[in-house]
Amino acid sequence: MTDLESYYLTEEPQVICGLTVPSIVEDFVEDYPSTVERFFTRYYYVQPGKENEPLQVLFHSNRICLIGLAPEHEALAKGIQSVTFEVGRIDRSENQVSGKKKSGGMIVQMDSTMALITCEDGSVYKVRGCVQGKLVEVNKRLVENANLLREEGVGYVAVIMPKPEQCEAIKKKLMSREEYDEKYRKPTISE
């Protein structure tokens, strides 16, 4: 080890305001919770008659909702070929908002179509809004890389901001993680 390496690799205890700062090297937690686990609450939306197409709503404390596919969604098993935000006469990717109140954002309902997912076998699935509010943005990266849908938190389809007074009513219409797991989650081999 060179003198320069020993200088950078030697950790000296630090005391700030009389308190010893814990070591970031020795106290590293390998299974530290993900951003989704720390800052979002998972909710699920299953449209009646479409139990194979569950959607996940990641609800942040600042009321921002990320809409994506639940891990059990049929499209993920079939393989996703493409994602488009052109739904009917509307292109959701052209949505533009500005300011704190997100003025200019499209108003969406629970059943509004946010995107169309085409699978490798040719089947097409609609991704619904799941919550009522303003469309803040859609994830344009999905157009280039549809496999991002497999990654929780990164593979969201849309960001929707509900009105503050409607948040509790919206949460009551969605399934909690426990309710969803009990009703729809497939047991793994280890269970």
Side-chain angles (χ1 to χ4, degrees):
M1 186 165 18
T2 67
D3 289 335
L4 197 54
E5 286 177 326
S6 64
Y7 173 78
Y8 283 110
L9 297 176
T10 303
E11 186 175 8
E12 296 178 15
Q14 292 183 339
V15 178
I16 299 176
C17 297
L19 298 173
T20 303
V21 177
S23 164
I24 62 169
V25 175
E26 294 172 12
D27 294 344
F28 177 72
V29 179
E30 206 164 311
D31 59 343
Y32 193 71
S34 70
T35 303
V36 171
E37 292 167 337
R38 287 181 288 154
F39 300 113
F40 291 89
T41 305
R42 289 179 180 93
Y43 288 95
Y44 296 88
Y45 176 71
V46 179
Q47 192 174 359
K50 298 193 177 192
E51 286 76 18
N52 293 335
E53 303 174 31
L55 300 171
Q56 184 179 59
V57 179
L58 299 176
F59 217 110
H60 195 277
S61 58
N62 68 3
R63 78 179 203 271
I64 288 286
C65 297
L66 301 182
I67 312 300
L69 303 183
E72 293 77 19
H73 196 287
E74 195 171 54
L76 294 174
K78 289 182 176 183
I80 299 169
Q81 183 178 17
S82 66
V83 176
T84 182
F85 296 105
E86 294 178 25
V87 289
R89 297 175 299 178
I90 301 170
D91 186 352
R92 300 276 187 206
S93 64
E94 292 178 2
N95 182 62
Q96 292 187 353
V97 297
S98 63
K100 185 177 178 181
K101 293 185 179 182
K102 308 302 177 208
S103 60
M106 295 177 190
I107 303 296
V108 295
Q109 305 298 322
M110 281 186 83
D111 61 347
S112 298
T113 303
M114 298 290 102
L116 297 173
I117 296 173
T118 305
C119 294
E120 291 173 0
D121 68 354
S123 55
V124 178
Y125 294 93
K126 292 180 181 180
V127 178
R128 303 287 181 182
C130 304
V131 297
Q132 180 181 353
K134 282 188 180 180
L135 178 63
V136 177
E137 71 176 53
V138 293
N139 191 353
K140 296 177 186 176
R141 295 179 297 170
L142 296 176
V143 175
E144 297 297 320
N145 184 3
N147 283 320
L148 283 176
L149 283 169
R150 298 181 183 282
E151 297 180 39
E152 185 180 56
V154 177
Y156 65 90
V157 173
V159 178
I160 298 174
M161 180 181 279
K163 290 182 179 178
E165 61 271 12
Q166 294 177 337
C167 288
E168 290 308 312
I170 288 170
K171 289 177 185 178
K172 287 178 184 175
K173 291 179 183 178
L174 300 171
M175 286 183 176
S176 70
R177 184 175 187 174
E178 294 76 25
E179 293 169 327
Y180 176 79
D181 285 350
E182 185 179 306
K183 195 167 183 178
Y184 295 103
R185 201 181 112 211
K186 296 175 181 129
T188 60
I189 295 171
S190 61
E191 293 181 308

